[in-house]
Amino acid sequence: MKRDALFEVENNIFKRIWVVVPYFIAVIICILAAIPVFSNSITQDEAFSVVLVRKNMAEMIKDASADVHPPLYYFLMMLVKGALHGRESLLAYRLLSCAGTCFNLLLIGATMIRKRWGIMTANIYIIFFGLTYYTMEHTVIVRMYTWGTFFVTLASLLALKAYEEEKIKYLVICGFVTLAAMYTHYYALLAVFLVWAFLLVVAAIRKRKLIKGILLTGILIVIGYFPWLGIFIGQTDKVAQNYWIQEYLFGDMIRAPYIMTEIAALPGVGYGFQILVFAMFFLAIIRKKYILIISSAIVVGVLVISSLYSF
């Protein structure tokens, strides 16, 4: 009995330590990614962000509408500036961007993914997302990318939770997060649109009682985005007539995992990650892991729409 009790105590201690591991890894990666926050060197896009938030709210929204991005990130920058009593701080702006990645690693990876899929899956997500070239490069850039990634991933997990637990409250929360994504970046808008489209299709096939809640939440999302809808359409026409980004070819979709992870200092990492992604996808098809298949379809859908739009 004493040995059994001692074993149980040791096992409980191990479990508590093991639960902390994802948070520990996430914190370490956050620290590594945040190292460049003290840099005073900025890109042209970052300079645009800084100059834009020097204006008042009305002028900021007006100038943002003339650009090709929604205004939420600029609004967050203005909140940061307000908290500093109007003082401009490049460090504070970089920390704001860094917070998007940290929330992704700690809230989504170490908490939500751990609770849903377990500690090992959480560790894999944190390591692969946190240490990709894309994440490391964009974490401290004074732009909206980290927050767009956070909102899209959070909306996807909340949509899954609403589907699995069949609770309207998660649909409502997902609706608010979806709006945040839509007001952050237009690629994020594409991603969350596909999330809701797949949610509606799957619900129609398997859980029809969710359809009413999905449609009502969708209507509320449209209403919430309506003030920016006209500007979005205008910006879309502007980009279509003068697309300044290099055409995104269909072949680039296949190479996307490689492009996001390959770095000169560690040659071959990108190819290794690409092989791993393809292996996981085919394994998901064989084992009928529908969540992974749908997630892949959302990513591919965004890339396909982007490719078509860039021509």
Side-chain angles (χ1 to χ4, degrees):
M1 290 295 293
K2 289 183 178 181
R3 286 185 177 181
D4 291 341
L6 182 61
F7 176 78
E8 186 176 349
V9 171
E10 292 176 346
N11 191 40
N12 288 335
I13 293 174
F14 175 77
K15 286 181 179 179
R16 291 179 181 178
I17 295 174
W18 186 233
V19 167
V20 177
V21 170
Y23 292 97
F24 177 77
I25 297 174
V27 169
I28 294 299
I29 293 177
C30 286
I31 293 172
L32 291 174
I35 289 175
V37 294
F38 300 102
S39 171
N40 288 320
S41 176
I42 62 173
T43 64
Q44 183 176 348
D45 285 344
E46 289 180 293
F48 175 84
S49 301
V50 172
V51 171
L52 190 63
V53 298
R54 288 175 180 172
K55 304 176 181 182
N56 60 43
M57 181 66 70
E59 290 178 336
M60 183 274 285
I61 293 176
K62 179 181 177 182
D63 289 353
S65 66
D67 187 38
V68 289
H69 292 98
L72 180 58
Y73 179 78
Y74 305 130
F75 176 71
L76 294 177
M77 288 181 67
M78 294 186 79
L79 289 180
V80 170
K81 187 176 180 180
L84 297 174
H85 304 288
R87 185 170 62 87
E88 187 172 278
S89 170
L90 189 59
L91 172 61
Y93 296 153
R94 293 197 187 283
L95 288 174
L96 171 65
S97 295
C98 189
T101 294
C102 292
F103 279 133
N104 203 317
L105 294 174
L106 292 166
L107 177 61
I108 293 178
T111 305
M112 296 180 70
I113 291 179
R114 174 183 60 81
K115 290 180 178 180
R116 173 58 178 78
W117 288 283
I119 294 174
M120 282 303 298
T121 303
N123 290 339
I124 291 172
Y125 173 84
I126 292 166
I127 291 171
F128 275 98
F129 171 76
L131 294 179
T132 61
Y133 172 75
Y134 173 88
T135 302
M136 285 294 178
E137 180 185 38
H138 287 84
T139 290
V140 297
I141 290 179
V142 188
R143 298 295 283 169
M144 67 290 296
Y145 309 122
T146 59
W147 283 98
T149 304
F150 170 69
F151 288 136
V152 169
T153 310
L154 182 57
S156 302
L157 291 175
L158 287 169
L160 175 62
K161 197 172 183 66
Y163 172 80
E164 291 181 337
E165 299 190 14
E166 301 180 18
K167 292 182 178 180
I168 299 298
K169 69 176 183 179
Y170 292 121
L171 283 176
V172 175
I173 299 172
C174 183
F176 281 111
V177 176
T178 296
L179 273 174
M182 294 169 68
Y183 275 107
T184 301
H185 200 282
Y186 292 134
Y187 281 130
L189 184 152
L190 288 177
V192 292
F193 170 78
L194 291 172
V195 167
W196 281 89
F198 278 109
L199 178 62
L200 181 60
V201 170
V202 175
I205 296 172
R206 295 193 170 189
K207 294 185 178 181
R208 293 188 176 181
K209 67 179 182 178
L210 280 174
I211 293 178
K212 183 178 179 180
I214 293 172
L215 292 176
L216 287 175
T217 308
I219 292 172
L220 292 176
I221 291 171
V222 173
I223 293 173
Y225 199 67
F226 189 78
W228 195 258
L229 188 60
I231 296 172
F232 165 66
I233 294 172
Q235 289 176 335
T236 302
D237 292 338
K238 175 183 175 182
V239 172
Q241 295 171 11
N242 184 24
Y243 196 89
W244 71 99
I245 302 175
Q246 182 180 358
E247 289 184 358
Y248 192 86
L249 304 177
F250 287 102
D252 292 336
M253 291 188 293
I254 300 175
R255 299 176 63 248
Y258 163 80
I259 294 171
M260 291 180 63
T261 55
E262 181 70 7
I263 55 176
L266 295 171
V269 171
Y271 287 114
F273 185 66
Q274 177 141 347
I275 292 171
L276 177 62
V277 169
F278 285 160
M280 291 173 63
F281 178 71
F282 288 118
L283 186 62
I285 295 176
I286 294 171
R287 300 183 63 181
K288 298 181 179 180
K289 298 292 185 179
Y290 296 111
I291 294 175
L292 181 55
I293 294 172
I294 292 174
S295 300
S296 302
I298 292 170
V299 174
V300 172
V302 172
L303 295 177
V304 168
I305 296 172
S306 304
S307 297
L308 293 172
Y309 195 69
S310 66
F311 291 137

